[in-house]
Structure formats: C-alpha cells, structure tokens
Amino acid sequence: MKPETDILKGLNQEQKQAVTHNGKPLLIVAGAGTGKTTVITKRLAWLIMEQGLRSDEILALTFTNKAADEMVDRVDKLLPYGYVDLWVSTFHTFCQRILDSHALDIGLPGDVGLLDDTGQWLLVREHLQKFNLDYYQPTNNPTKFIRSMLSHFSRLKDEEITPEAYFAYAEELRLNSDSADMPALGGSASGGEASGGKSKKMHEDDEDDPRRAVEMANAYHTYQQLLLDNNKMDFGDLINYTLKLFRERPNVLKKHQEQFKHVLVDEFQDTNWAQYELVKMLAKPQDNLTVVADDDQSIYRFRGASMSNVIQFSKDYTGAATVALVKNYRSGQAILDAAYDFIQLNNPNRLEVRVGGGIDKKLAAETKETASVTHLHCASAGDEARVVAETIAELKKRDKVATWNDFAVLVRANSQAAIFEEALASTNIPHQNYAASGLYKTTIVANILAFFDAISDYHESRAIFRLLNLPFLTIPIEDIIKLNHYASKKSMTLYEIIKQPQRAGVSDGDAVLEMQRLRSWIEKYGDLSKREQPTSLLFDWMQDEGYFDYLNAMPDADSMREYRYLRYFWEHLKEIEAALASSRVKDVVDIIKQEKDSGDSGSLPPDAESGPEMVRVMTIHSAKGLEFKYVFVTNMVDRRFPTIERREAIEIPNALVKEVIPAGDHHLEEERRLFYVAMTRAKSGLFFTSAEHYGGVQKKKLSRFLVELSAAHKGFEASAKALAGDHTSFLPKARRSPKAPFKLPIPKRFSFTQLKIFDADPFEYKLQFIYKVPTKGKYVFSYGSTMHATLQQFFQLLSQKRRAGQADLFGAHTESPATGLSVPLAELLNIYEKSWIDDWYEDAEQKEKYHKQGKSRLKDFYEHLASSGPAPKVKALERGFSVKVGEYTIMGRMDRVDQRADGSVRIVDYKTGKPKQKLAKEDKFQLLVYQIAAEEVFKEKVGELAYHYIDAENIKSGENIVSFVGTDSEKQEVKDWVLDVITRIHTSDFSPSDDRFFPSEDVEYLRDLGEAGVI
C-alpha cells in the first residue's frame, strides 16, 4: 500500500482536496467538528512524504502550546521514520527561536531575558514613579492599574504601533488642543486638576483627549525604555523584534524564506496585525501558504475584527484557493441547524457574506445520532443548579455507554460556576470546576501561602490555624477548636498557645507532639527564610516534613491534580525569584499580597482533557476546541449572557488602529460567536438553562439569544413557564455511580533521559515524567547548565560573526584576529558571567570554588581551541530530532554537530565532571541514540561520537575527549534496550525496582540535568 493511501485514508472529498492542494495559497474554512486538526496534520505529513519536503522545511504556527503538542503527536504517528526537529509551535516560540540565533543582527544582546505577565508587572511596580501618571493615576491601590496599562501596551504591539507612532499621534492632538498648560511629550503630566475628576476608564468622548494620549504615549515609551535598560523583552516584543530583524536584515529573512518551503497557520481568524505581517514575509516569494480559519469561532479578536485578516488574505492573494470543510463528525443535525440559523444573525459581518466564491458554511452531520436542543427554565438560581445536576444524573443512568467525561456545564463567567459545583457535589456526581477563581485558592497553594505567612510572621494566627489543619499533621479538630477559643479568650496568638497547648485543655499526647512539630517548623524555616530562596525552602519543607509523602499516598488521579497545582505555583515562584535581585520569603509574601489586591487570583490554565472521569464545569472560552456528548449552557438570562460590554480600561485610539474594524455592535457579535462555540461543543444533547431569580426581587428576563434563536430556528422554542420551585425531583434520581478506574497518562514520546531514569527507578520516573513534580536543584545542576549555556552561546556567536563577515550584514567585513577565532577570550568569559546560575550552592565558599573552576576550564578550552588550527566547522547547535524505534518515538537534542573534512559528522556531547578512562557499554547509549538519529533522520555519515568533559584538568593531553563510533551490533543493542524499557513503562506499577541496568546513584544527577536539557 502506498504511503499516500495511508495518509488520505478516511478523509472526505473536501478534506482530501485540502490535504493535497498544491500551488497557490490556500484558505481552509473549517467549521466546528469538521476534522480541522486531522486535515492540518495530514497536510503536513503529505508535504513531507509526497512532496519531498523535509520536516524542518515546513513552518506550522498555532496559538497554544497544547495545540502545537497535539499537532506534533499526530504528525509523529503518521510519519513512518524519524524526522528533524519540527517547526510546529506558537508564534511566540517561533520568534524566540529566531531571535536566539539572530539577536546580534539587530543589536540586541544574546542574553536578553523574556518577561511573562508576572515579570512585566514586577518591573513596572518597581519603577512606577517613572511613569508620571496623573490622568490615570490610581487613587486607592497604586498597583491596581498596572495590569490595565500592560494590557494596553500589549494591544499596541499586536497592532505594531511603536512608541514613536504613539508620540506622533499624541503630539498632533496636543498641538491642536486649546490646553496651553499641557506638558509636551516626554514631560511630566503633573498638576492636581489634570484629571478633572474624570473616571479613570476611557469613554467614547475621551477618544481624542490630548491629556490622555500624551500620558499614555509617555508611559509606553517609559515602559519600552525600562525593558531595554533591564535587558528584557515581553511577548509582544518577540513578534515585533522579529519583524524588525526581517526588515532590516534581508539576508536573514531570505535564509528563512528559503528554508520554509511551506507555511501553515492554524486559527488564522485569531491572528493579529503583527502576526499576519510576519506570515506574509515568511511566505514570500513562492507564497506557499495555507491558512485555516472559521470566523464564527473567533472569540479573542481585537474589537470584533474576526474577519479582518481573512478578508485581507483574500485581497493579498487574489488567486488563492478556498476549501470549505462542512461535514461535521461531532454533532447531530438538530444542533448544527440551530447553531447555523443563529449565527447568521451576525450577517453581514461573516465570511459567507463578505468573501466571494460562494462559500457555504452550513454544516452537515456525518453522525447518525439523534440530537436535541432543550431549554430548562427554573424559578431560582438554586433550582437551576439542582435541575442541571439531576438531569445529568438521569442522562447518565439512561445512557449506558456515557461516562462522566461526556458532560460539561458551561458558564459565561468564572463567578457563576460555584453554585453548579455545589449541586453536583450534593448529587454525588464526580466533577471538577475548571472555572475556579484561581491558583491561590486551591488547597495546596493556600497551605503553602499559609506556611510562608507563618514563617514570615510567627504571630500570623490565621496562617497557623490553617497549618494546624494540614491533613498529615493529624491533629484532632476538637483540639484545634480548643486552641482557637483559648487564644481568642486570652487575646493571644496561636503561636504562643502551641508552645504550651495544655493551657488550652489539650491533653492528647500525640496532638501535643504534632503541635510541637509545627512550632519547630515555624522556627526552623523562619530562620532559614532570611538567607534561602523560597523555592529551596518550600522543597525542603514538603520533602522533609511529610507533604510529598502525603501527596504520593493519594490515589493517582488526586496526586496528579495536586501536583499540577503545585507545578504552576512553583513556576510562578521561580518567575518572582528571577525578577527580584534578592528574593526571600518575605518578598514573595508581599508581592503575592499585592497581586491579590490588584485582583489577580493566580493563573490556573484549565486542563480539561486530563485527570479522572468527571463532569467538567468550565467557562465557554475554556471549552473551545473540546467536545462533549451533553452540554449545559447556563445562566441564559439578560445581562449574564450576553454580558454587558466591558471595554478595555485604556483603548487604542482609532486613528492608530491598522486593522479594518467592522461596523455594527462588535460586542454583541462577539457574544453571539461565543454562544455559537458553546452550542457546537455538544454531540447529542444541548441544554440551555435559566432562572427567573438570581437574588433580589426583580424577575430576570430571558437572554435575547434564546429569543433570537426561537425566531431564527423553527425547531426551537424558549420555555415561557418556569419549573415549579418546590418539586423534589425534576427527574428520577440515579444511584451514585462508581468512579471509573483511572489510568496514568504515559508520555507519547520518550527521551534517553526518561528511559534511563525509568530503568534506574520507576517510581522516580513516575514523579518526574507523569506527576511532573517540581524538583529542587543541586549545585551540579547549576554548574552544568552554566557551562553548557556558555559553550552553546560561544559557538553560536562564532557562527554569527562568521555569517556577519561573510554576508556583510553590518556594512564592513569582520577580520578574524590572530588567534583564528573571531570571538576573543574576554567575550567568552563575559558570556560565562552572564550565564552563571547562582542557585543551589550549599554555601558561598562552594559557589566561589565552582565559579573559579568554570572560569579556569573555559580559559583552558579557549587556548586549546585557538592553538589547534581552524575552529571546528560547526554544522548545528542544539539540533533537535525525533527518531522511530519500532513504533515509538525517541526525542533528543545534540549539543553540537561538526562537519569533518571527509564529509562525515562528529557529534559532541558536553559533560561536567571528570572524564572516564574507558566507557562502559551503558555509557555509550546516549551517543549511540544520536548516531542512529543522524544516520536515519539526517541521512548523515557519522565519523565520530565524542563526550567532551569540560572539567578535564589536562586538556592539552586530549583527556577531555573520549570518542568512539558505534557498530551495527551496538546500535541494535540500544534499539532492543529502548523497546524493552518502553514496554516495561506501559505495564509498570512504578514501584521502586531493585533490578536496575543503570546504577541508582546516577538517578538524582540525571533527573536534575535531564530536566534542564543538559543531557
């Protein structure tokens, strides 16, 4: 059977046409449930297998890491052999990858740091006085306005509006203004009457207010200067600096245009102006471009510009082909017809009307399942929640094949979810609230914050009360009540009481010991908090005092959930530590308090497709891309859905907007698209629910969307009569169903490090790669990462200098110095200092020792390299790959690949530590995997595999290099080992093993270095 037949198998005619299209640009209009992801991934595979493109010659861009990962997983299954590291990523990840290699070409330092939302907030908070705010000066909370300002700057960058363009606009307004006392650009907007008592939120009549424009133009300039001064950039900068690079360095643009023979963009309707400019640049001159869009599912676009780029695409590529995918494999026809009739109310601002070519977006169901659309109207909010829960229970009872995963309760706003969560709990239905208000309110994070509060201030009784209730302390609740009552009666703190709990009437000896244990924590970690970083302190507390043991003893599904929350919080702590010059627990407590005060409850991305079987309660925005058999769209009443328009605190002036903003009520149209997304999540049953009362005396009107749907779609009629509020059961109650067994999610792709860790300790593998438990680093991790990063940047700089000289990018040829190296030793040592990781050393003496050692080893390395003739001809750095071994995929990344004189390649892997005089069989496995990938994926002849031991003392004798080349029998042995280990992973219970191929003492070191990509 030909590979083409395999790729196209199961596709309908329109899908095949989209997958196999060749030539001019292609617009795929992909309706909900029409197999969009299948088409994208099969098109990518078809371009590789049928058109002969290499995997690194296709650029596929999407909007979330999750979508990119899913695309890679699907492509991986389609390709029968290994492949070069795929360029499938988000826009931001792609741009970061480009700038990592070409920052110098536009004068950016190679070590510029990327700020996430937290980093941006902290930077502005630290320098807030520099913004000279008056019109937008916060009145109560000085930090509350920061996020609105940052959101404004982000929108400006989406539109590729520079500070200079904002300045020009503001200056024109200022000069045309009658306000003689208005400060010029760059000046301070001072003066107590400047804001005139106006609201800090912009309204329509503020659009051309010069005072506002001048202040924001200055603030935008100040923010950008802060980023430059601190050697940072934000996510918007990633796109805009890449555009700058391509415009100012045409040779760099040409290089990537020649590399990417095809560009593919998913969710094209959600691209902003800057992203589309980037796509157009990269697609030239051949314009081999595929974009996938559905304007009816655009729920994130700026001022409702759901079609702006799609319309512009039709103008930019007048001969573009269009394929509409309309065969729906998800929903019953009744649901599709209702959704289609409703969304047409957004005409004429839809593709069907605006784009020529006769696009028909009416979806046709391919499933034979019957479907229904029902409205359940209730008397009160409590009745609505109860009816939803009881209906779910009855549907589950009647539908013998349905699982709890087949049900979703969708809300328009996070705050509307709690009442449905309570109703599901009271009906004994397993569920999870993915609309929960935030990370800081999860149990594990609240416990950690209480721990931080307590060790920062011993007399923080609320924090100590929470710690007393920790489940692994096993203190009886009645004793905690005694302590609290006594403390209140005597006006004492809980910390004072737990020194002598007997005074409060606690007589249980075990409880007293537990309280003493808690007190010792507070004192011990309180002292350590003055000199240790929060992440280090947190890890020691959780590991040494039993929290990890408690989590590990939970059922797998619960452990994974708690570790997921812990991982997000750990990453947030690391972000705070990185943003502060000196981060201690007290600093973290202060920052998180300010975050809470500003309305931030902690980012908690939903992950509705993982975890145990349960009903999902989530926002409609979070549900996009998901599907469920039964969907309940709740709170369908006036002012709840559709919502009242909440405009941005600071809007971009219309004069600066580059996109074509549609006429009409863009907020209402956006809400209709959101309603359409909610409807098209359902396969068989779509339920709208509402109530007459949500508190207060006024009766709620039904949502206008229910009224509109009743008028537009003959098969639906909104209920005019509320269900009786005093009935005991809307439907017969179902018995509590047992939870389905939970199966641990095994990774779909594997690395050498994963396999080696499993072979040494299956339980460690489970913690790191399935639970993804945060790990405390060690000094060997910091030192090894520093040395790897330094050498990688050094050779990258050598390549950039060589390219700059050859291509004359800067207008003058760069001559190499007498050493033959275009990068001087001082620059290598400068890279080392900037790359130095200060974490995890046991004390200052140890840190200084390794700092001197690293510097000395790099000097030896440089001198040896400079005196050994021409520098290595580096072919690739950090070369990623995926290679098939049997049916499984092994991923990896080679530190360095050199081109040898005889045409073969030399693969180099850096190691810290002392060199081994002789490599044992298992020592060779990592490089043998690299050899297999080089030969089977890159089709290269491997002439040498080399471990480069960075810490070798006598580098001139050559003892720092241990090299070999694998034989056919050695390569086969590695493949056999890989298949054996993966088979055992799929059947393992992950208990610690005594039968280890690799020594157990290597595991911790492997875990640290492997997680960081050092090995």
Side-chain angles (χ1 to χ4, degrees):
M1 183 178 289
K2 291 178 60 180
E4 178 183 353
T5 308
D6 292 337
I7 292 175
L8 301 182
K9 186 178 181 180
L11 299 182
N12 62 45
Q13 190 58 41
E14 293 78 20
Q15 290 174 330
K16 288 179 182 177
Q17 184 182 349
V19 168
T20 60
H21 173 80
N22 206 357
K24 56 189 176 182
L26 172 66
L27 167 64
I28 302 174
V29 180
T34 57
K36 176 196 71 171
T37 305
T38 297
V39 169
I40 294 171
T41 52
K42 290 204 170 189
R43 177 157 178 74
L44 203 158
W46 182 82
L47 288 168
I48 294 171
M49 296 176 65
E50 293 300 313
Q51 297 298 293
L53 272 63
R54 296 197 315 268
S55 55
D56 62 343
E57 291 179 328
I58 304 169
L59 173 63
L61 297 169
T62 185
F63 279 85
T64 65
N65 289 321
K66 181 180 177 182
D69 290 342
E70 181 182 0
M71 205 179 296
V72 171
D73 287 338
R74 292 204 190 189
V75 171
D76 178 72
K77 292 176 182 177
L78 291 170
L79 298 179
Y81 312 109
Y83 48 89
V84 183
D85 202 13
L86 288 167
W87 286 73
V88 177
S89 70
T90 64
F91 278 89
H92 293 126
T93 300
F94 167 74
C95 289
Q96 187 169 18
R97 191 169 176 178
I98 296 296
L99 292 174
D100 282 346
S101 299
H102 296 282
L104 284 178
D105 293 335
I106 51 171
L108 289 175
D111 60 341
V112 61
L114 179 64
L115 291 182
D116 61 1
D117 291 346
T118 299
Q120 293 173 263
W121 186 83
L122 290 171
L123 180 68
V124 174
R125 165 188 169 274
E126 184 180 357
H127 300 279
L128 192 57
Q129 73 283 355
K130 294 183 180 179
F131 286 82
N132 295 319
L133 299 175
D134 182 71
Y135 186 93
Y136 286 108
Q137 183 181 20
T139 53
N140 299 323
N141 182 353
T143 63
K144 189 171 185 178
F145 185 71
I146 292 176
R147 295 196 185 279
S148 297
M149 195 160 60
L150 288 171
S151 176
H152 182 58
F153 300 155
S154 176
R155 287 290 196 189
L156 291 167
K157 292 178 182 182
D158 288 348
E159 292 287 300
E160 206 187 353
I161 300 168
T162 64
E164 291 75 20
Y166 211 151
F167 271 143
Y169 164 78
E171 181 67 1
E172 183 179 357
L173 283 184
R174 190 185 72 84
L175 293 175
N176 293 333
S177 166
D178 295 332
S179 303
D181 60 344
M182 184 176 298
L185 286 162
S188 171
S190 59
E193 299 180 2
S195 56
K198 298 175 67 149
S199 167
K200 305 306 181 191
K201 187 170 279 195
M202 194 195 90
H203 300 286
E204 289 184 14
D205 56 355
D206 293 331
E207 166 70 25
D208 296 323
D209 190 320
R211 187 182 302 108
R212 169 194 173 277
V214 167
E215 185 165 301
M216 275 300 101
N218 278 321
Y220 188 26
H221 170 75
T222 299
Y223 173 67
Q224 283 302 108
Q225 192 60 50
L226 277 175
L227 290 174
L228 290 171
D229 292 345
N230 288 274
N231 199 24
K232 303 293 184 184
M233 69 171 69
D234 60 24
F235 285 101
D237 286 332
L238 287 174
I239 308 289
N240 289 340
Y241 277 132
T242 304
L243 288 170
K244 176 182 172 68
L245 169 71
F246 288 160
R247 287 177 180 139
E248 295 183 1
R249 300 290 180 246
N251 286 335
V252 177
L253 174 60
K254 183 179 179 182
K255 169 191 169 185
H256 289 93
Q257 287 173 335
E258 290 175 347
Q259 175 187 349
F260 300 123
K261 303 294 192 297
H262 199 99
V263 179
L264 194 154
V265 184
D266 188 18
E267 303 286 2
F268 182 68
Q269 76 279 351
D270 289 332
T271 54
N272 58 47
W273 172 275
Q275 289 165 338
Y276 184 35
E277 287 294 298
L278 183 65
V279 168
K280 286 189 289 187
M281 279 187 183
L282 288 165
K284 292 183 183 301
Q286 298 299 319
D287 290 335
N288 288 327
L289 173 64
T290 299
V291 299
V292 185
D294 182 11
D295 60 307
D296 292 331
Q297 295 188 77
S298 177
I299 57 176
Y300 297 108
R301 285 298 283 115
F302 171 70
R303 293 195 197 166
S306 62
M307 291 188 306
S308 177
N309 282 347
V310 183
I311 298 293
Q312 192 61 46
F313 178 87
S314 301
K315 295 178 180 177
D316 293 335
Y317 305 100
T318 53
T322 301
V323 175
L325 306 181
V326 295
K327 293 181 179 177
N328 179 284
Y329 297 89
R330 175 188 300 162
S331 306
Q333 194 63 50
I335 293 172
L336 297 179
D337 288 345
Y340 180 74
D341 290 345
F342 173 80
I343 199 60
Q344 287 192 91
L345 295 171
N346 271 359
N347 290 339
N349 290 326
R350 294 181 60 248
L351 284 179
E352 277 186 316
V353 177
R354 295 287 297 275
V355 176
I359 295 176
D360 182 0
K361 295 186 63 183
K362 183 174 175 60
L363 300 178
E366 290 295 298
T367 175
K368 302 304 179 185
E369 271 193 67
T370 57
S372 61
V373 182
T374 307
H375 177 211
L376 304 175
H377 188 47
C378 306
S380 67
D383 287 334
E384 179 185 10
R386 179 174 51 78
V387 164
V388 167
E390 291 175 351
T391 304
I392 289 173
E394 179 60 20
L395 285 169
K396 177 68 166 57
K397 182 180 179 181
R398 293 180 182 181
D399 189 336
K400 303 302 182 183
V401 297
T403 70
W404 294 121
N405 287 338
D406 285 317
F407 298 88
V409 179
L410 304 184
V411 295
R412 177 62 184 86
N414 289 327
S415 59
Q416 298 166 3
I419 191 169
F420 295 99
E421 184 180 18
E422 292 168 4
L424 291 168
S426 66
T427 318
N428 293 321
I429 295 175
H431 64 278
Q432 185 160 352
N433 181 5
Y434 289 91
S437 53
L439 184 63
Y440 298 150
K441 294 190 177 181
T442 61
T443 299
I444 189 170
V445 174
N447 289 342
I448 292 168
L449 292 176
F451 169 67
F452 281 165
D453 282 339
I455 64 176
S456 297
D457 180 359
Y458 293 179
H459 301 295
E460 181 55 72
S461 289
R462 285 188 303 177
I464 293 178
F465 179 80
R466 186 173 190 95
L467 295 179
L468 284 164
N469 283 277
L470 287 173
F472 56 92
L473 274 183
T474 64
I475 300 175
I477 185 64
E478 55 269 22
D479 286 336
I480 298 174
I481 293 172
K482 289 177 183 177
L483 292 176
N484 208 41
H485 178 72
Y486 187 82
S488 177
K489 182 179 178 181
K490 299 294 185 180
S491 299
M492 299 173 68
T493 66
L494 283 176
Y495 174 73
E496 293 174 300
I497 299 300
I498 61 174
K499 288 182 177 180
Q500 291 182 301
Q502 295 87 346
R503 290 182 296 171
V506 177
S507 58
D508 183 274
D510 291 338
V512 171
L513 287 175
E514 291 286 76
M515 293 174 192
Q516 291 174 348
R517 180 182 166 199
L518 172 59
R519 193 189 76 238
S520 71
W521 288 356
I522 296 171
E523 293 169 354
K524 172 186 173 182
Y525 294 107
D527 182 56
L528 290 172
S529 69
K530 298 170 185 175
R531 55 185 181 274
E532 288 195 15
Q533 288 194 312
T535 46
S536 177
L537 208 66
L538 173 59
F539 187 91
D540 288 344
W541 174 61
M542 296 189 74
Q543 178 171 264
D544 297 343
E545 311 304 338
Y547 212 145
F548 281 145
D549 292 337
Y550 166 73
L551 296 176
N552 293 339
M554 286 180 163
D556 284 331
D558 297 328
S559 290
M560 285 198 67
R561 181 190 65 246
E562 295 303 303
Y563 276 129
R564 173 174 166 259
Y565 297 152
L566 175 60
R567 186 169 68 254
Y568 284 132
F569 185 69
W570 179 272
E571 290 167 356
H572 187 52
L573 282 183
K574 295 295 290 183
E575 291 159 1
I576 294 174
E577 289 175 352
L580 298 178
S582 175
S583 58
R584 296 293 176 260
V585 169
K586 196 174 186 308
D587 304 319
V588 169
V589 169
D590 179 55
I591 286 168
I592 291 178
K593 182 180 183 303
Q594 291 185 50
E595 286 181 328
K596 288 180 175 180
D597 290 344
S598 70
D600 185 356
S601 57
S603 176
L604 182 58
D607 187 9
E609 293 181 300
S610 66
E613 181 191 326
M614 58 179 64
V615 175
R616 268 62 176 169
V617 182
M618 59 200 314
T619 64
I620 301 171
H621 281 92
S622 299
K624 185 181 178 184
L626 303 178
E627 58 183 44
F628 305 90
K629 194 167 187 178
Y630 303 102
V631 170
F632 293 78
V633 187
T634 62
N635 283 245
M636 293 300 302
V637 294
D638 183 44
R639 302 171 76 87
R640 290 200 167 204
F641 197 10
T643 62
I644 301 171
E645 182 177 8
R646 290 181 175 86
R647 303 178 66 178
E648 294 176 310
I650 317 169
E651 291 195 341
I652 301 176
N654 285 332
L656 291 174
V657 175
K658 297 178 180 178
E659 295 178 89
V660 178
I661 303 300
D665 189 336
H666 66 78
H667 172 72
L668 181 60
E669 291 180 1
E670 176 99 354
E671 291 287 292
R672 282 201 189 105
R673 288 193 294 273
L674 193 61
F675 189 53
Y676 177 84
V677 166
M679 295 173 75
T680 53
R681 298 312 93 197
K683 296 179 181 179
S684 301
L686 174 61
F687 297 86
F688 304 120
T689 69
S690 58
E692 292 187 343
H693 294 280
Y694 289 86
V697 296
Q698 191 170 3
K699 185 177 179 179
K700 279 283 187 181
K701 295 180 181 178
L702 286 183
S703 165
R704 65 176 290 168
F705 287 171
L706 293 179
V707 178
E708 289 177 347
L709 182 60
S710 294
H713 181 64
K714 293 181 180 179
F716 175 80
E717 185 174 350
S719 175
K721 184 178 180 181
L723 298 169
D726 59 352
H727 66 73
T728 58
S729 178
F730 170 68
L731 291 170
K733 285 193 175 183
R735 295 187 303 274
R736 180 175 181 177
S737 299
K739 291 186 180 181
F742 177 72
K743 187 175 181 180
L744 286 171
I746 304 299
K748 297 176 182 177
R749 288 166 284 152
F750 302 88
S751 68
F752 171 77
T753 304
Q754 283 190 41
L755 302 182
K756 193 170 180 179
I757 288 179
F758 176 84
D759 216 24
D761 190 341
F763 184 69
E764 179 63 39
Y765 176 89
K766 176 183 178 180
L767 292 180
Q768 184 176 347
F769 297 105
I770 298 179
Y771 284 176
K772 299 179 181 177
V773 180
T775 57
K776 180 181 178 181
K778 292 186 177 296
Y779 68 89
V780 291
F781 166 82
S782 298
Y783 179 70
S785 296
T786 297
M787 299 299 280
H788 273 73
T790 300
L791 291 175
Q792 194 271 339
Q793 290 181 47
F794 170 72
F795 279 106
Q796 183 172 293
L797 187 58
L798 275 177
S799 298
Q800 289 188 27
K801 294 278 190 179
R802 184 182 297 116
R803 184 178 64 249
Q806 292 170 350
D808 195 24
L809 289 176
F810 297 100
H813 187 78
T814 304
E815 297 292 341
S816 297
T819 60
L821 298 176
S822 57
V823 179
L825 174 61
E827 183 62 25
L828 171 61
L829 297 179
N830 183 49
I831 293 172
Y832 174 67
E833 295 297 342
K834 288 182 177 179
S835 302
W836 177 256
I837 299 173
D838 222 19
D839 298 338
W840 311 119
Y841 289 93
E842 295 174 4
D843 51 45
E845 183 179 348
Q846 186 190 55
K847 180 166 59 177
E848 181 62 22
K849 172 190 171 183
Y850 275 89
H851 184 269
K852 287 181 178 179
Q853 177 177 307
K855 196 171 184 179
S856 174
R857 298 295 182 261
L858 288 172
K859 286 180 180 178
D860 292 343
F861 163 82
Y862 185 89
E863 291 170 1
H864 181 65
L865 187 65
S867 63
S868 301
K873 188 176 180 181
V874 178
K875 186 173 184 178
L877 293 167
E878 295 293 311
R879 176 196 262 181
F881 67 85
S882 294
V883 63
K884 290 290 180 70
V885 178
E887 63 180 296
Y888 303 110
T889 298
I890 308 301
M891 307 174 300
R893 193 166 293 278
M894 305 172 191
D895 287 344
R896 199 178 92 215
V897 181
D898 297 343
Q899 187 72 60
R900 288 164 37 114
D902 64 0
S904 66
V905 296
R906 176 178 187 249
I907 300 174
V908 180
D909 189 76
Y910 302 124
K911 297 288 187 187
T912 48
K914 305 299 181 183
K916 295 185 177 182
Q917 293 182 350
K918 184 179 179 181
L919 295 175
K921 179 174 63 175
E922 59 269 22
D923 293 329
K924 296 181 178 181
F925 274 21
Q926 181 183 356
L927 284 183
L928 286 170
V929 170
Y930 293 174
Q931 180 177 348
I932 293 167
E935 292 172 349
E936 297 185 6
V937 178
F938 299 99
K939 309 302 180 184
E940 294 171 331
K941 179 183 178 182
V942 177
E944 184 183 3
L945 303 171
Y947 285 123
H948 184 144
Y949 290 91
I950 302 170
D951 285 329
E953 294 180 359
N954 189 6
I955 191 172
K956 292 182 180 179
S957 69
E959 69 176 31
N960 63 309
I961 303 291
V962 179
S963 64
F964 65 100
V965 64
T967 64
D968 289 342
S969 62
E970 286 177 321
K971 289 183 286 184
Q972 187 58 49
E973 184 178 15
V974 171
K975 290 183 177 182
D976 292 341
W977 173 78
V978 166
L979 292 173
D980 173 65
V981 174
I982 295 176
T983 300
R984 286 189 280 126
I985 287 174
H986 280 282
T987 58
S988 178
D989 63 1
F990 301 102
S991 299
S993 173
D994 294 326
D995 182 18
R996 297 184 173 105
F997 184 77
F998 290 99
S1000 59
E1001 58 267 21
D1002 286 349
V1003 171
E1004 198 164 9
Y1005 179 78
L1006 278 168
R1007 181 191 62 214
D1008 291 337
L1009 299 188
E1011 183 69 13
V1014 174
I1015 59 173

